[in-house]
Amino acid sequence: MPPADRPLSTALAERRAAHLYRERRTVDAPAGAETVIDGARLLNFCSNDYLGLANHPQVVAAFHAGATEYGVGSGASHLVTGHTRAHHELEEALADFTRRPRALLFSTGWMANTGTLAALVGAGDAVLEDRLNHASLIDGGLASGARFRRYRHNDVDQCAALLDKGEANRKLVVTDGVFSMDGDVAPLGELAAVCRARDAWLMVDDAHGMGVLGDEGRGCVDAAGLGVDDVPVLVGTLGKAFGTFGAFVAGSDDLVETLIQSARSYIYTTAMPPAVAVATLASLELVRRDEWRRERLAAHVERFRAGASALGYSLMPSSTPIQPLLVGTSEDALAFSAALREAGILVAAIRPPTVPEGSARLRITFSAAHDEAHVERLLDVLAQLAPRFARAVAVPAAE
Ligand SMILES: *Cc1c(COP(=O)(O)O)cnc(C)c1O
């Protein structure tokens, strides 16, 4: 071992002892209701492929066609020669979908969030974020150089009070639309009112609502009846319900032009492969058209909540396909996940620091790729495991 690595092995051993060690699984199957890991076929309840589009034949065919037309790599950044007709058409389609003047593609949601935050605010400005925001929003806010404050989860009054306190040139309030580890939806109408009254931008990252919630899957912002004046900065990701890869920011012409001029994670990176844009255009069509996918998803969620609460499990206040079961300690969450896997069901244990201390959980997610029998199978196994793992666990106050 190189001597400089010694502190790394000490830190890794400590992490393992605290039940916080993270491990990858090597998957031998396409996205779908079932997966294969280490030769074992497992029912998959932890993917973000909410609509079952990641392996849809039309999306796969579009990807092939895109590769035939454009090859694999885009060859350059968007500002050099990487911005193909396919990227451009997808941006126009996403602007239409989100009912905003413009949309701008980024290579990942992480890059969309960090690049947008740094482009909009800096020294002399203020950023306020929900404590449970996605890591990319938190890191982007911290790195922006603006004064950074967190408010308690969904606490609109505290957000307003923090906006009123302290001098700031530009002000930006940032929230997940659907919270990725809890599944609840932000109080968007109230946040928008608070922001409008104080001349602050509201930025909503709807990675988990886009495609899943609202008319044609337009997401939680549209479902709340909010337009571009209420939520000037709307972020969507394409790797979840859309089943492909990448992300976008939708908003005004000036917003998008500002990002093109100065979002560093937009400028200094290779454009996504054009075939991904072609595949996403196909998946967007299915997202808008196939209302049955959202209906099926909602039925799974309803059945699961009724079944799991009858078994005595601690559910969280979520009506989205993200349905966490609170466990408490990291050790118990790992044991619960291992017991499910033993029974042929894959659900990842989510531990701190991804979630607050004492609120380790299993994050169960549903997909339109599941059928009713899959949900019943999950409930059967949860019934067998209820004596070990069903118990009331309070969510620790997010302070
Ligand atoms: C997944 C996720 C992201 C990151 O998107 P990627 O395209 O996977 O980088 C950003 N925000 C939220 C809320 C997410 O859940």
Side-chain angles (χ1 to χ4, degrees):
M1 184 200 303
D5 280 5
R6 243 172 255 133
L8 302 185
S9 53
T10 309
L12 288 169
E14 283 167 2
R15 181 177 275 270
R16 210 182 268 281
H19 308 285
L20 295 175
Y21 205 81
R22 297 166 189 258
E23 278 173 291
R24 301 176 302 171
R25 327 171 167 75
T26 304
V27 173
D28 290 302
E34 291 187 344
T35 190
V36 177
I37 294 171
D38 293 335
R41 187 164 285 281
L42 300 167
L43 256 180
N44 183 3
F45 283 102
C46 52
S47 129
N48 298 317
D49 177 25
Y50 298 118
L51 298 180
L53 296 177
N55 191 31
H56 190 285
Q58 272 167 255
V59 180
V60 175
F63 189 67
H64 278 290
T68 301
E69 184 173 357
Y70 290 102
V72 176
S74 64
S77 68
H78 280 277
L79 287 167
V80 182
T81 56
H83 187 68
T84 65
R85 176 74 47 204
H87 294 104
H88 204 75
E89 282 175 8
L90 177 57
E91 289 184 345
E92 287 174 348
L94 289 168
D96 176 67
F97 175 61
T98 57
R99 306 192 219 255
R100 278 158 168 75
R102 297 276 298 273
L104 185 72
L105 285 174
F106 281 77
S107 294
T108 68
W110 188 284
M111 293 163 79
N113 284 338
T114 55
T116 300
L117 276 152
L120 293 183
V121 292
D125 303 327
V127 178
L128 300 181
E129 298 207 19
D130 189 290
R131 287 198 62 84
L132 298 188
N133 274 355
H134 189 262
S136 57
L137 295 171
I138 301 285
D139 285 13
L142 287 167
S144 70
R147 185 163 55 85
F148 178 84
R149 296 295 304 271
R150 293 176 225 222
Y151 54 87
R152 282 183 297 268
H153 181 48
N154 287 341
D155 189 336
V156 180
D157 292 337
Q158 193 188 19
C159 173
L162 287 170
L163 272 177
D164 289 336
K165 216 163 63 184
E167 284 302 300
N169 190 3
R170 300 171 172 189
K171 297 172 204 156
L172 174 61
V173 172
V174 188
T175 184
D176 277 20
V178 174
F179 285 86
S180 52
M181 296 300 137
D182 294 56
D184 56 339
V185 180
L188 295 171
E190 294 166 64
L191 283 171
V194 159
C195 290
R196 284 187 78 150
R198 291 162 179 82
D199 243 348
W201 279 301
L202 177 57
M203 171 172 172
V204 176
D205 173 357
D206 201 18
H208 297 276
M210 204 68 80
V212 172
L213 302 177
D215 176 40
E216 293 191 356
R218 286 195 173 86
C220 64
V221 170
D222 194 73
L226 303 173
V228 68
D229 291 342
D230 309 294
V231 178
V233 189
L234 175 61
V235 180
T237 63
L238 304 172
K240 287 162 184 159
F242 286 84
T244 61
F245 188 78
F248 63 94
V249 177
S252 69
D253 198 42
D254 282 348
L255 173 76
V256 166
E257 285 301 318
T258 299
L259 297 178
I260 293 172
Q261 307 311 313
S262 47
R264 294 168 69 83
S265 63
Y266 181 78
I267 299 168
Y268 298 106
T269 200
T270 302
M272 69 162 64
V276 172
V278 177
T280 307
L281 273 164
S283 105
L284 176 58
E285 251 184 71
L286 296 168
V287 164
R288 298 184 74 157
R289 189 194 70 194
D290 287 355
E291 204 56 54
W292 66 265
R293 293 178 192 274
R294 282 178 284 279
E295 284 164 10
R296 183 166 172 167
L297 202 42
H300 290 341
V301 169
E302 199 174 323
R303 172 67 189 114
F304 169 78
R305 286 185 69 84
S309 71
L311 292 169
Y313 282 97
S314 279
L315 296 174
M316 296 186 68
S318 162
S319 54
T320 68
I322 301 170
Q323 291 293 327
L325 291 182
L326 267 179
V327 178
T329 68
S330 296
E331 191 174 2
D332 284 348
L334 285 176
F336 194 2
S337 172
L340 282 164
R341 184 155 164 184
E342 197 82 350
I345 290 179
L346 185 68
V347 183
I350 309 288
R351 293 160 285 163
T354 307
V355 292
E357 208 55 58
S359 74
R361 65 197 66 177
L362 293 199
R363 177 178 178 270
I364 296 174
T365 51
F366 292 93
S367 168
H370 293 126
D371 62 25
E372 284 164 27
H374 295 136
V375 181
E376 293 309 322
R377 172 74 193 138
L378 171 65
L379 288 169
D380 285 348
V381 173
L382 287 175
Q384 290 159 26
L385 297 177
R388 277 178 74 193
F389 299 107
R391 70 192 70 134
V393 178
V395 197
E399 184 40 69

